Coordinates of all heavy atoms in Angstrom, one line a residue:
F120 N -140.3 -125.0 13.7 CA -139.9 -126.3 14.4 C -139.8 -126.0 15.9 O -139.7 -124.9 16.3 CB -138.6 -126.8 13.8 CG -138.6 -127.1 12.3 CD1 -137.9 -126.3 11.4 CD2 -139.4 -128.1 11.8 CE1 -137.9 -126.5 10.1 CE2 -139.4 -128.3 10.4 CZ -138.7 -127.5 9.6
D121 N -139.7 -127.2 16.6 CA -139.6 -127.1 18.1 C -138.2 -126.5 18.4 O -138.1 -125.7 19.4 CB -139.7 -128.5 18.7 CG -141.0 -129.1 18.5 OD1 -142.1 -128.4 18.4 OD2 -141.1 -130.4 18.4
Y122 N -137.2 -126.8 17.7 CA -135.8 -126.4 18.0 C -135.1 -125.9 16.8 O -135.4 -126.3 15.6 CB -135.0 -127.6 18.6 CG -135.6 -128.1 19.9 CD1 -136.4 -129.2 20.0 CD2 -135.3 -127.4 21.1 CE1 -136.9 -129.7 21.1 CE2 -135.8 -127.9 22.3 CZ -136.6 -129.0 22.3 OH -137.1 -129.4 23.5
V125 N -131.1 -129.8 17.3 CA -131.1 -130.9 18.2 C -129.8 -131.6 18.1 O -129.4 -132.1 16.9 CB -132.3 -131.8 18.0 CG1 -132.1 -133.1 18.9 CG2 -133.6 -131.1 18.4
V126 N -129.0 -131.8 19.1 CA -127.8 -132.5 19.1 C -128.1 -133.9 19.7 O -128.6 -134.0 20.8 CB -126.7 -131.8 20.0 CG1 -125.4 -132.7 20.0 CG2 -126.4 -130.4 19.4
I127 N -127.8 -134.9 19.0 CA -128.0 -136.3 19.4 C -126.6 -136.8 20.0 O -125.7 -137.1 19.2 CB -128.5 -137.2 18.3 CG1 -129.8 -136.6 17.7 CG2 -128.8 -138.6 18.8 CD1 -130.2 -137.2 16.4
A149 N -131.5 -128.3 21.9 CA -131.7 -129.5 22.8 C -130.6 -130.5 22.6 O -130.0 -130.6 21.5 CB -133.1 -130.1 22.6
V150 N -130.3 -131.2 23.7 CA -129.4 -132.3 23.6 C -130.1 -133.6 24.0 O -130.8 -133.6 25.1 CB -128.2 -132.1 24.6 CG1 -127.4 -133.4 24.7 CG2 -127.3 -131.0 24.2
L151 N -130.1 -134.6 23.2 CA -130.6 -135.9 23.4 C -129.5 -136.8 23.9 O -128.5 -136.9 23.2 CB -131.2 -136.5 22.2 CG -132.7 -136.2 21.9 CD1 -132.8 -135.7 20.4 CD2 -133.6 -137.3 22.2
L240 N -132.7 -133.7 27.2 CA -133.7 -134.7 27.0 C -133.0 -136.1 27.2 O -132.2 -136.5 26.3 CB -134.4 -134.6 25.7 CG -135.1 -133.3 25.4 CD1 -135.5 -133.2 23.9 CD2 -136.2 -133.0 26.3
K242 N -133.5 -139.0 26.3 CA -134.4 -139.8 25.4 C -133.5 -140.3 24.3 O -132.6 -139.7 23.9 CB -135.5 -139.0 24.9 CG -136.5 -138.5 26.0 CD -137.6 -137.7 25.4 CE -138.5 -137.2 26.6 NZ -139.7 -136.5 26.1
G244 N -133.3 -141.0 20.3 CA -133.9 -140.4 19.2 C -133.7 -141.3 17.9 O -132.7 -141.9 17.7
T245 N -134.8 -141.4 17.1 CA -134.7 -142.1 15.8 C -135.3 -141.1 14.8 O -136.4 -140.6 15.0 CB -135.6 -143.4 15.8 OG1 -135.1 -144.2 16.9 CG2 -135.4 -144.2 14.6
K247 N -137.4 -139.8 11.9 CA -138.7 -140.1 11.2 C -138.6 -139.5 9.8 O -139.0 -140.1 8.8 CB -139.9 -139.5 11.9 CG -141.2 -139.8 11.3 CD -142.3 -139.3 12.1 CE -143.6 -139.6 11.4 NZ -144.8 -139.0 12.1
D248 N -138.1 -138.2 9.7 CA -138.0 -137.6 8.4 C -136.9 -136.5 8.6 O -136.2 -136.5 9.6 CB -139.3 -137.0 7.8 CG -139.9 -136.0 8.7 OD1 -139.2 -135.1 9.3 OD2 -141.1 -136.0 8.9
H250 N -136.8 -133.5 9.4 CA -136.9 -132.5 10.5 C -137.6 -133.1 11.7 O -137.9 -132.4 12.6 CB -137.7 -131.3 10.0 CG -137.0 -130.5 9.0 ND1 -135.9 -129.7 9.2 CD2 -137.2 -130.4 7.6 CE1 -135.4 -129.1 8.1 NE2 -136.2 -129.5 7.1
T251 N -137.8 -134.4 11.7 CA -138.6 -135.0 12.9 C -137.8 -136.2 13.5 O -137.3 -137.0 12.7 CB -139.9 -135.5 12.4 OG1 -140.6 -134.4 11.7 CG2 -140.8 -135.9 13.6
L252 N -137.8 -136.2 14.8 CA -137.3 -137.3 15.5 C -138.4 -137.9 16.3 O -139.2 -137.2 16.9 CB -136.2 -136.9 16.5 CG -134.8 -136.6 16.0 CD1 -133.9 -136.1 17.2 CD2 -134.2 -137.7 15.3
T253 N -138.4 -139.3 16.4 CA -139.3 -140.0 17.3 C -138.4 -140.2 18.5 O -137.3 -140.8 18.4 CB -139.8 -141.3 16.8 OG1 -140.6 -141.0 15.6 CG2 -140.6 -142.0 17.8
V254 N -138.8 -139.8 19.7 CA -137.9 -139.9 20.9 C -138.7 -140.8 21.9 O -139.9 -140.7 22.1 CB -137.5 -138.5 21.5 CG1 -136.7 -137.8 20.5 CG2 -138.8 -137.7 21.8
S262 N -142.6 -139.9 21.8 CA -143.2 -138.6 21.3 C -142.3 -138.2 20.1 O -141.4 -138.8 19.8 CB -143.2 -137.6 22.4 OG -141.9 -137.4 22.9
E263 N -142.7 -137.0 19.6 CA -141.9 -136.5 18.4 C -141.5 -135.1 18.7 O -142.2 -134.3 19.4 CB -142.8 -136.5 17.2 CG -143.1 -137.9 16.6 CD -143.8 -137.9 15.3 OE1 -144.3 -136.8 14.9 OE2 -144.0 -138.9 14.8
I264 N -140.3 -134.8 18.2 CA -139.8 -133.4 18.3 C -139.3 -133.1 16.9 O -138.9 -133.9 16.1 CB -138.7 -133.2 19.3 CG1 -137.5 -134.1 19.1 CG2 -139.2 -133.4 20.8 CD1 -136.3 -133.8 19.9
T265 N -139.3 -131.8 16.6 CA -138.8 -131.3 15.3 C -137.7 -130.3 15.5 O -137.7 -129.6 16.5 CB -140.0 -130.7 14.5 OG1 -140.5 -129.5 15.2 CG2 -141.1 -131.7 14.2
A266 N -136.9 -130.2 14.4 CA -135.8 -129.2 14.5 C -135.4 -128.8 13.0 O -135.6 -129.6 12.1 CB -134.6 -129.8 15.2
F269 N -130.0 -130.9 12.7 CA -129.6 -131.9 13.7 C -128.1 -132.1 13.6 O -127.5 -131.9 12.5 CB -130.3 -133.3 13.3 CG -131.7 -133.3 13.5 CD1 -132.6 -133.0 12.4 CD2 -132.3 -133.5 14.8 CE1 -133.9 -133.0 12.6 CE2 -133.7 -133.5 14.9 CZ -134.5 -133.3 13.8

Side-chain angles (χ1 to χ4, degrees):
F120 301 111
D121 299 328
Y122 298 98
V125 170
V126 177
I127 304 169
V150 170
L151 273 132
L240 302 170
K242 297 180 179 186
T245 307
K247 179 178 178 182
D248 61 42
H250 294 286
T251 310
L252 284 178
T253 300
V254 294
S262 58
E263 290 183 354
I264 60 172
T265 60
F269 295 93

